[in-house]
Amino acid sequence: MCVCHVLLSKIQELLPRNILILAMTASSFRTSVAVFALIALHVSALDTFIAAVYEHAVILPNKTEMPVSQDDALLLMNKNLDILERVIKQAAEQGAQIIVTPEDALYGWKFTRETIFPYLEDIPDPQVTWIPCEDPHRFGHTPIQARLSCLAKNNSIYVLANIGDKKPCNSRDPTCPANGYYQYNTNVVYNKEGKLVARYHKYHLYSEPQFDVPEKPELVTFNTPFGRFGMFTCFDILFHDPAVTLVKDFHVDTILFPTAWMNVLPLLTAIEFHSAWAMGMGVNLLAANIHHVHLNMTGSGIYAPHAPKVYHYDMETGLGKLLLSEVDSHPRSSPAYPEAVNWRAYATTNKPFPAQRNTFGGLISRDMFNFTELSEKSGNLTVCQEDLCCHLSYRMLRKEDAEVYVLGAFTGLHGRRRSEYWQVCTMLKCKTTNLTTCGQPVETAMTRFDIVSLSGTFGTEYVFPEVLLTKIQLSPGKFEVLKDGRLVNKNGLSEPILTMSLFGRWYTKDSHSISGRTSNMSTTYLQISTLLMLIALQNVVMV
């Protein structure tokens, strides 16, 4: 392949399709110059970049039951921004080219629609080409956007922040909220010149009555000299849109992920699931979490497709933490990029181990798993639930009398919401030697394995490999996924294992209600449906 074809294929990764068509079909000299300038830009693009994430111990408002003045709201946000300003400057001085700060980092999370309103600003579409630092009053009262823009510009660094957006609506529109505004949980990104380059409204809300759900999931990307980026927020990561679509259809290299994540053992601690998602999807994930120990909020990291680069988990102190790491700009081109995985290949093509007779049920996060005990020092076990069978080969260094491990399988709609369809194979330590405690949170272990291999007959291609060690630690470089779908340990003896899981999401089997949706549109449709039913019943009675 000639150099020009290679360059053209690369530039296609950087540019929207409509711009490429324009450039390739137009014959003017000016257009040709522009195309070659863009090609030259990509040739000089960086192979790696320094990423930063900050786990922030947010300064919370004293009370959120009653509205405060706009000045008081601004005062609180600036207190948090004072901390972020020092961190952003520190990250830039250490060479970071982009930094992610957490969801809710400027004001916290416990609000009503009325009490959040003084904290909101009108955030325009990035297509307006705006540098708030240079023109702070162009879109009304926007002091927070102006300060964020200046932080990016003055430190020559891309900055992602999570703030609240308000959008006026027509009161005659039945979907328009009573206060005349839609209110959105929003991510903004400013480039090194302080220009607003991306805006994203969170779609999958989680107990956030102060915010509205956008009409549809937004697929937001932006290009840099060090790769193509996408972003979404917290609970979004558990759903197909926008998370999977950004990776599969928009071919982003790196996901920016602000979150206010409450850790839930054994399967959904932040560092555990976020690192697994990066590996399962084959992209970089820059995850910045809130730090609030009393709400089990901690766990931030910079995760590459092959292994975590750096992570932080701290339930001992109330301090924030800045993380930095060098990351591949285009991980798919990296020699370390993992091979494609067929998640059911091994489990379906090899003779299954004998199914265990002594299976029993146990709950993990309201989901009824089928479990079987690892009763011997070594063995080959299978446990099934409906059409999912999980296979485990293992050998312990020593079987600890005070510890019990089980192999578990679950397939079905998850939890009280019953909206996400999970398929999970997991080996985990029980809380005590009493089998009724299997699936309950546990943070320490002593049992080491020198052989462990987990696989399953998954019906989905979206499987996220999790390994969590004693004291809530990850295991970079100690485990790998083989292309036939087995999660195995590398280089012999492991550190004591809390959980080892293959966490599958079968998106096409999800129930299609929007999780956490409290929008006025839903309420209006319900009211209309109820009214129509009453009219119909009245007509029946009259007849």
Short mmCIF file of all heavy atoms in Angstrom, two decimals, residues 346 353 374 376-381 391-399 405 407 427 447-455 467 478-480 482 486-497 500:
data_model
loop_
_atom_site.label_atom_id
_atom_site.label_comp_id
_atom_site.label_asym_id
_atom_site.label_seq_id
_atom_site.Cartn_x
_atom_site.Cartn_y
_atom_site.Cartn_z
N TYR A 346 -14.35 -21.53 23.91
CA TYR A 346 -13.84 -22.64 24.73
C TYR A 346 -14.98 -23.37 25.42
O TYR A 346 -15.03 -24.60 25.43
CB TYR A 346 -12.85 -22.12 25.76
CG TYR A 346 -12.30 -23.20 26.66
CD1 TYR A 346 -11.21 -23.97 26.23
CD2 TYR A 346 -12.87 -23.48 27.90
CE1 TYR A 346 -10.71 -24.98 27.04
CE2 TYR A 346 -12.37 -24.49 28.71
CZ TYR A 346 -11.30 -25.24 28.27
OH TYR A 346 -10.80 -26.25 29.07
N PHE A 353 -17.38 -29.90 32.00
CA PHE A 353 -17.14 -30.67 33.21
C PHE A 353 -18.48 -31.19 33.73
O PHE A 353 -19.54 -30.60 33.45
CB PHE A 353 -16.47 -29.80 34.27
CG PHE A 353 -15.22 -29.11 33.77
CD1 PHE A 353 -15.03 -27.75 33.99
CD2 PHE A 353 -14.24 -29.82 33.09
CE1 PHE A 353 -13.89 -27.11 33.53
CE2 PHE A 353 -13.10 -29.19 32.63
CZ PHE A 353 -12.92 -27.83 32.84
N LEU A 374 -16.27 -24.70 45.86
CA LEU A 374 -14.96 -25.25 45.55
C LEU A 374 -14.50 -26.04 46.78
O LEU A 374 -13.78 -25.55 47.64
CB LEU A 374 -13.94 -24.14 45.24
CG LEU A 374 -13.97 -23.50 43.85
CD1 LEU A 374 -15.30 -22.83 43.55
CD2 LEU A 374 -12.83 -22.52 43.70
N GLU A 376 -12.73 -28.84 47.12
CA GLU A 376 -11.41 -29.46 47.13
C GLU A 376 -10.33 -28.41 46.85
O GLU A 376 -10.61 -27.29 46.44
CB GLU A 376 -11.34 -30.57 46.07
CG GLU A 376 -12.42 -31.62 46.19
CD GLU A 376 -12.30 -32.44 47.46
OE1 GLU A 376 -11.17 -32.56 47.99
OE2 GLU A 376 -13.34 -32.94 47.95
N LYS A 377 -9.08 -28.84 47.05
CA LYS A 377 -7.95 -27.96 46.80
C LYS A 377 -7.81 -27.64 45.32
O LYS A 377 -7.36 -26.54 44.94
CB LYS A 377 -6.66 -28.60 47.33
CG LYS A 377 -5.42 -27.76 47.12
CD LYS A 377 -4.17 -28.46 47.63
CE LYS A 377 -2.92 -27.65 47.32
NZ LYS A 377 -1.69 -28.36 47.78
N SER A 378 -8.22 -28.55 44.46
CA SER A 378 -8.18 -28.34 43.01
C SER A 378 -9.37 -29.05 42.40
O SER A 378 -9.99 -29.94 43.02
CB SER A 378 -6.87 -28.86 42.41
OG SER A 378 -6.75 -30.26 42.61
N GLY A 379 -9.71 -28.67 41.17
CA GLY A 379 -10.83 -29.32 40.53
C GLY A 379 -11.27 -28.65 39.25
O GLY A 379 -10.73 -27.61 38.84
N ASN A 380 -12.25 -29.27 38.61
CA ASN A 380 -12.89 -28.76 37.41
C ASN A 380 -14.40 -28.75 37.67
O ASN A 380 -15.00 -29.81 37.91
CB ASN A 380 -12.58 -29.65 36.20
CG ASN A 380 -11.09 -29.71 35.92
OD1 ASN A 380 -10.46 -28.70 35.69
ND2 ASN A 380 -10.54 -30.93 35.93
N LEU A 381 -15.00 -27.57 37.67
CA LEU A 381 -16.41 -27.43 38.06
C LEU A 381 -17.22 -26.76 36.94
O LEU A 381 -16.70 -25.95 36.17
CB LEU A 381 -16.53 -26.57 39.31
CG LEU A 381 -15.79 -27.04 40.57
CD1 LEU A 381 -16.00 -26.02 41.69
CD2 LEU A 381 -16.28 -28.42 41.01
N HIS A 391 -17.68 -22.57 33.54
CA HIS A 391 -16.70 -23.61 33.76
C HIS A 391 -15.50 -23.03 34.49
O HIS A 391 -15.00 -21.95 34.12
CB HIS A 391 -16.25 -24.22 32.44
CG HIS A 391 -17.38 -24.70 31.57
ND1 HIS A 391 -18.43 -25.46 32.05
CD2 HIS A 391 -17.64 -24.51 30.25
CE1 HIS A 391 -19.27 -25.73 31.07
NE2 HIS A 391 -18.81 -25.16 29.96
N LEU A 392 -14.99 -23.76 35.45
CA LEU A 392 -13.84 -23.33 36.23
C LEU A 392 -12.86 -24.48 36.41
O LEU A 392 -13.25 -25.57 36.84
CB LEU A 392 -14.28 -22.81 37.61
CG LEU A 392 -13.15 -22.40 38.56
CD1 LEU A 392 -12.49 -21.11 38.09
CD2 LEU A 392 -13.67 -22.25 40.00
N SER A 393 -11.60 -24.24 36.06
CA SER A 393 -10.49 -25.13 36.43
C SER A 393 -9.61 -24.37 37.41
O SER A 393 -9.28 -23.20 37.16
CB SER A 393 -9.67 -25.54 35.20
OG SER A 393 -10.46 -26.29 34.31
N TYR A 394 -9.22 -25.00 38.52
CA TYR A 394 -8.49 -24.24 39.53
C TYR A 394 -7.57 -25.16 40.33
O TYR A 394 -7.77 -26.39 40.40
CB TYR A 394 -9.45 -23.54 40.48
CG TYR A 394 -10.16 -24.49 41.44
CD1 TYR A 394 -9.66 -24.71 42.73
CD2 TYR A 394 -11.31 -25.17 41.05
CE1 TYR A 394 -10.29 -25.59 43.60
CE2 TYR A 394 -11.95 -26.04 41.92
CZ TYR A 394 -11.44 -26.25 43.18
OH TYR A 394 -12.05 -27.13 44.04
N ARG A 395 -6.56 -24.56 40.92
CA ARG A 395 -5.74 -25.24 41.92
C ARG A 395 -5.27 -24.20 42.93
O ARG A 395 -4.66 -23.20 42.56
CB ARG A 395 -4.53 -25.93 41.29
CG ARG A 395 -3.73 -26.78 42.30
CD ARG A 395 -2.65 -27.60 41.62
NE ARG A 395 -1.59 -26.75 41.10
CZ ARG A 395 -0.74 -27.12 40.13
NH1 ARG A 395 -0.87 -28.32 39.58
NH2 ARG A 395 0.20 -26.29 39.71
N MET A 396 -5.61 -24.44 44.18
CA MET A 396 -5.19 -23.56 45.26
C MET A 396 -3.80 -23.95 45.74
O MET A 396 -3.44 -25.14 45.73
CB MET A 396 -6.16 -23.64 46.44
CG MET A 396 -7.61 -23.31 46.12
SD MET A 396 -8.67 -23.64 47.56
CE MET A 396 -10.30 -23.34 46.86
N LEU A 397 -3.01 -22.96 46.16
CA LEU A 397 -1.74 -23.27 46.79
C LEU A 397 -1.97 -24.03 48.08
O LEU A 397 -1.29 -25.02 48.39
CB LEU A 397 -0.96 -21.98 47.07
CG LEU A 397 0.40 -22.15 47.75
CD1 LEU A 397 1.36 -22.89 46.82
CD2 LEU A 397 0.99 -20.80 48.14
N ARG A 398 -2.96 -23.60 48.85
CA ARG A 398 -3.35 -24.27 50.08
C ARG A 398 -4.82 -23.94 50.33
O ARG A 398 -5.23 -22.80 50.17
CB ARG A 398 -2.50 -23.81 51.25
CG ARG A 398 -2.84 -24.54 52.56
CD ARG A 398 -1.95 -24.13 53.72
NE ARG A 398 -2.23 -22.76 54.13
CZ ARG A 398 -1.30 -21.83 54.26
NH1 ARG A 398 -0.04 -22.09 53.99
NH2 ARG A 398 -1.62 -20.60 54.64
N LYS A 399 -5.60 -24.92 50.71
CA LYS A 399 -7.00 -24.66 51.03
C LYS A 399 -7.11 -24.18 52.47
O LYS A 399 -6.79 -24.89 53.41
CB LYS A 399 -7.85 -25.91 50.83
CG LYS A 399 -9.35 -25.59 50.83
CD LYS A 399 -10.18 -26.77 50.43
CE LYS A 399 -11.63 -26.35 50.21
NZ LYS A 399 -12.18 -25.50 51.25
N TYR A 405 -14.88 -20.70 48.88
CA TYR A 405 -15.09 -20.10 47.56
C TYR A 405 -16.18 -20.86 46.84
O TYR A 405 -16.38 -22.07 47.06
CB TYR A 405 -13.81 -20.15 46.73
CG TYR A 405 -12.79 -19.10 47.11
CD1 TYR A 405 -12.00 -19.26 48.23
CD2 TYR A 405 -12.64 -17.94 46.35
CE1 TYR A 405 -11.06 -18.31 48.60
CE2 TYR A 405 -11.70 -16.98 46.70
CZ TYR A 405 -10.93 -17.16 47.83
OH TYR A 405 -10.01 -16.20 48.19
N LEU A 407 -18.30 -21.12 42.80
CA LEU A 407 -18.48 -20.75 41.40
C LEU A 407 -19.96 -20.44 41.21
O LEU A 407 -20.82 -21.21 41.65
CB LEU A 407 -18.06 -21.90 40.49
CG LEU A 407 -18.34 -21.75 39.00
CD1 LEU A 407 -17.54 -20.60 38.40
CD2 LEU A 407 -18.05 -23.06 38.25
N MET A 427 -16.22 -16.56 40.18
CA MET A 427 -15.66 -17.30 41.30
C MET A 427 -15.41 -16.28 42.40
O MET A 427 -14.72 -15.28 42.16
CB MET A 427 -14.35 -17.98 40.92
CG MET A 427 -13.73 -18.79 42.07
SD MET A 427 -12.03 -19.29 41.78
CE MET A 427 -11.14 -17.77 42.14
N THR A 447 -6.56 -16.93 50.38
CA THR A 447 -6.36 -18.06 49.47
C THR A 447 -5.69 -17.61 48.18
O THR A 447 -6.18 -16.72 47.48
CB THR A 447 -7.70 -18.74 49.16
OG1 THR A 447 -8.30 -19.15 50.40
CG2 THR A 447 -7.50 -19.94 48.26
N ARG A 448 -4.58 -18.32 47.84
CA ARG A 448 -3.86 -18.07 46.59
C ARG A 448 -4.08 -19.23 45.63
O ARG A 448 -4.16 -20.39 46.05
CB ARG A 448 -2.35 -17.90 46.86
CG ARG A 448 -2.02 -16.73 47.76
CD ARG A 448 -0.55 -16.76 48.15
NE ARG A 448 -0.20 -15.66 49.06
CZ ARG A 448 0.30 -14.50 48.66
NH1 ARG A 448 0.53 -14.29 47.37
NH2 ARG A 448 0.58 -13.55 49.53
N PHE A 449 -4.17 -18.89 44.36
CA PHE A 449 -4.36 -19.89 43.31
C PHE A 449 -3.14 -19.87 42.39
O PHE A 449 -2.67 -18.80 41.99
CB PHE A 449 -5.60 -19.58 42.48
CG PHE A 449 -6.90 -19.69 43.24
CD1 PHE A 449 -7.32 -18.68 44.10
CD2 PHE A 449 -7.73 -20.79 43.06
CE1 PHE A 449 -8.51 -18.77 44.79
CE2 PHE A 449 -8.93 -20.89 43.75
CZ PHE A 449 -9.33 -19.89 44.62
N ASP A 450 -2.65 -21.07 42.02
CA ASP A 450 -1.59 -21.08 41.01
C ASP A 450 -2.12 -21.51 39.65
O ASP A 450 -1.44 -21.37 38.64
CB ASP A 450 -0.40 -21.94 41.44
CG ASP A 450 -0.76 -23.39 41.69
OD1 ASP A 450 -1.95 -23.74 41.56
OD2 ASP A 450 0.15 -24.16 42.03
N ILE A 451 -3.35 -22.02 39.62
CA ILE A 451 -4.05 -22.28 38.35
C ILE A 451 -5.49 -21.83 38.53
O ILE A 451 -6.16 -22.21 39.49
CB ILE A 451 -4.02 -23.78 37.97
CG1 ILE A 451 -2.59 -24.25 37.68
CG2 ILE A 451 -4.91 -24.03 36.75
CD1 ILE A 451 -2.50 -25.75 37.40
N VAL A 452 -5.96 -21.03 37.60
CA VAL A 452 -7.38 -20.65 37.60
C VAL A 452 -7.78 -20.25 36.19
O VAL A 452 -7.07 -19.49 35.52
CB VAL A 452 -7.67 -19.52 38.62
CG1 VAL A 452 -6.89 -18.27 38.31
CG2 VAL A 452 -9.16 -19.21 38.71
N SER A 453 -8.86 -20.82 35.71
CA SER A 453 -9.36 -20.57 34.35
C SER A 453 -10.87 -20.56 34.39
O SER A 453 -11.50 -21.54 34.81
CB SER A 453 -8.85 -21.66 33.39
OG SER A 453 -9.48 -21.56 32.12
N LEU A 454 -11.46 -19.47 33.94
CA LEU A 454 -12.91 -19.28 33.99
C LEU A 454 -13.45 -19.01 32.59
O LEU A 454 -12.88 -18.20 31.84
CB LEU A 454 -13.25 -18.10 34.90
CG LEU A 454 -14.72 -17.74 35.10
CD1 LEU A 454 -15.46 -18.86 35.84
CD2 LEU A 454 -14.86 -16.42 35.88
N SER A 455 -14.53 -19.68 32.23
CA SER A 455 -15.15 -19.46 30.91
C SER A 455 -16.65 -19.69 31.03
O SER A 455 -17.15 -20.21 32.04
CB SER A 455 -14.55 -20.39 29.85
OG SER A 455 -14.76 -21.75 30.20
N VAL A 467 -11.14 -8.97 37.77
CA VAL A 467 -10.40 -9.66 38.82
C VAL A 467 -10.17 -8.64 39.93
O VAL A 467 -9.64 -7.56 39.70
CB VAL A 467 -9.04 -10.20 38.34
CG1 VAL A 467 -8.29 -10.86 39.51
CG2 VAL A 467 -9.22 -11.20 37.20
N LYS A 478 -1.26 -9.69 35.68
CA LYS A 478 -1.29 -11.00 36.33
C LYS A 478 -2.34 -11.95 35.76
O LYS A 478 -2.30 -13.15 36.02
CB LYS A 478 -1.52 -10.84 37.84
CG LYS A 478 -0.47 -10.00 38.55
CD LYS A 478 0.90 -10.65 38.50
CE LYS A 478 1.92 -9.86 39.30
NZ LYS A 478 3.27 -10.49 39.25
N PHE A 479 -3.30 -11.40 35.02
CA PHE A 479 -4.34 -12.22 34.40
C PHE A 479 -4.49 -11.78 32.95
O PHE A 479 -4.14 -10.66 32.58
CB PHE A 479 -5.68 -12.05 35.13
CG PHE A 479 -5.70 -12.67 36.51
CD1 PHE A 479 -5.12 -12.01 37.59
CD2 PHE A 479 -6.28 -13.91 36.72
CE1 PHE A 479 -5.13 -12.57 38.86
CE2 PHE A 479 -6.30 -14.47 37.97
CZ PHE A 479 -5.72 -13.82 39.05
N GLU A 480 -5.00 -12.68 32.10
CA GLU A 480 -5.22 -12.35 30.70
C GLU A 480 -6.44 -13.09 30.19
O GLU A 480 -6.87 -14.10 30.75
CB GLU A 480 -4.00 -12.72 29.86
CG GLU A 480 -3.70 -14.21 29.80
CD GLU A 480 -2.49 -14.53 28.94
OE1 GLU A 480 -2.19 -13.72 28.05
OE2 GLU A 480 -1.87 -15.60 29.15
N LEU A 482 -7.77 -15.15 26.99
CA LEU A 482 -7.37 -15.85 25.77
C LEU A 482 -8.43 -15.66 24.70
O LEU A 482 -9.59 -15.36 24.99
CB LEU A 482 -7.17 -17.33 26.07
CG LEU A 482 -6.19 -17.66 27.22
CD1 LEU A 482 -6.05 -19.17 27.39
CD2 LEU A 482 -4.84 -17.00 26.98
N ARG A 486 -11.37 -17.64 27.61
CA ARG A 486 -10.99 -18.02 28.97
C ARG A 486 -10.27 -16.86 29.66
O ARG A 486 -9.38 -16.25 29.07
CB ARG A 486 -10.07 -19.24 28.97
CG ARG A 486 -10.77 -20.56 28.73
CD ARG A 486 -9.78 -21.70 28.69
NE ARG A 486 -8.97 -21.65 27.47
CZ ARG A 486 -7.88 -22.40 27.26
NH1 ARG A 486 -7.47 -23.24 28.21
NH2 ARG A 486 -7.22 -22.30 26.11
N LEU A 487 -10.65 -16.59 30.89
CA LEU A 487 -9.93 -15.67 31.76
C LEU A 487 -9.01 -16.50 32.65
O LEU A 487 -9.49 -17.34 33.42
CB LEU A 487 -10.92 -14.86 32.61
CG LEU A 487 -10.33 -13.91 33.66
CD1 LEU A 487 -9.39 -12.89 33.04
CD2 LEU A 487 -11.44 -13.22 34.45
N VAL A 488 -7.69 -16.29 32.51
CA VAL A 488 -6.72 -17.16 33.19
C VAL A 488 -5.67 -16.31 33.89
O VAL A 488 -5.43 -15.16 33.52
CB VAL A 488 -6.03 -18.12 32.19
CG1 VAL A 488 -7.06 -19.00 31.48
CG2 VAL A 488 -5.20 -17.34 31.16
N ASN A 489 -5.02 -16.93 34.89
CA ASN A 489 -3.90 -16.26 35.53
C ASN A 489 -2.63 -16.47 34.73
O ASN A 489 -2.48 -17.45 33.99
CB ASN A 489 -3.72 -16.75 36.97
CG ASN A 489 -3.36 -18.21 37.05
OD1 ASN A 489 -3.97 -19.04 36.36
ND2 ASN A 489 -2.37 -18.56 37.87
N LYS A 490 -1.70 -15.52 34.85
CA LYS A 490 -0.41 -15.59 34.17
C LYS A 490 0.70 -15.74 35.21
O LYS A 490 0.57 -15.27 36.33
CB LYS A 490 -0.17 -14.31 33.37
CG LYS A 490 -1.10 -14.10 32.20
CD LYS A 490 -0.93 -12.70 31.61
CE LYS A 490 0.49 -12.44 31.12
NZ LYS A 490 0.61 -11.09 30.51
N ASN A 491 1.76 -16.36 34.79
CA ASN A 491 2.99 -16.39 35.60
C ASN A 491 2.77 -16.99 36.98
O ASN A 491 3.33 -16.52 37.98
CB ASN A 491 3.57 -14.98 35.74
CG ASN A 491 3.78 -14.31 34.39
OD1 ASN A 491 4.19 -14.96 33.43
ND2 ASN A 491 3.47 -13.02 34.31
N GLY A 492 1.94 -18.03 37.03
CA GLY A 492 1.85 -18.79 38.27
C GLY A 492 1.00 -18.18 39.36
O GLY A 492 -0.10 -17.67 39.12
N LEU A 493 1.53 -18.15 40.55
CA LEU A 493 0.79 -17.85 41.77
C LEU A 493 0.17 -16.46 41.76
O LEU A 493 0.83 -15.47 41.42
CB LEU A 493 1.71 -18.00 42.98
CG LEU A 493 1.06 -18.05 44.36
CD1 LEU A 493 0.20 -19.29 44.49
CD2 LEU A 493 2.16 -18.05 45.43
N SER A 494 -1.10 -16.39 42.15
CA SER A 494 -1.79 -15.10 42.24
C SER A 494 -1.75 -14.59 43.67
O SER A 494 -1.51 -15.34 44.61
CB SER A 494 -3.25 -15.26 41.81
OG SER A 494 -3.99 -15.96 42.82
N GLU A 495 -2.02 -13.30 43.82
CA GLU A 495 -2.34 -12.77 45.15
C GLU A 495 -3.72 -13.29 45.55
O GLU A 495 -4.49 -13.76 44.70
CB GLU A 495 -2.33 -11.24 45.10
CG GLU A 495 -0.96 -10.63 44.88
CD GLU A 495 0.01 -10.94 46.00
OE1 GLU A 495 -0.38 -10.80 47.18
OE2 GLU A 495 1.14 -11.39 45.70
N PRO A 496 -4.06 -13.26 46.85
CA PRO A 496 -5.38 -13.77 47.26
C PRO A 496 -6.52 -13.08 46.50
O PRO A 496 -6.55 -11.86 46.38
CB PRO A 496 -5.42 -13.44 48.75
CG PRO A 496 -3.99 -13.44 49.17
CD PRO A 496 -3.24 -12.87 48.00
N ILE A 497 -7.44 -13.89 45.98
CA ILE A 497 -8.52 -13.41 45.11
C ILE A 497 -9.81 -13.23 45.90
O ILE A 497 -10.22 -14.12 46.65
CB ILE A 497 -8.74 -14.39 43.95
CG1 ILE A 497 -7.50 -14.46 43.05
CG2 ILE A 497 -9.97 -13.97 43.12
CD1 ILE A 497 -7.61 -15.51 41.96
N MET A 500 -13.31 -13.26 40.76
CA MET A 500 -12.81 -13.38 39.38
C MET A 500 -14.05 -13.65 38.55
O MET A 500 -14.73 -14.66 38.74
CB MET A 500 -11.82 -14.53 39.28
CG MET A 500 -11.29 -14.79 37.88
SD MET A 500 -10.03 -16.11 37.94
CE MET A 500 -9.67 -16.27 36.19
#
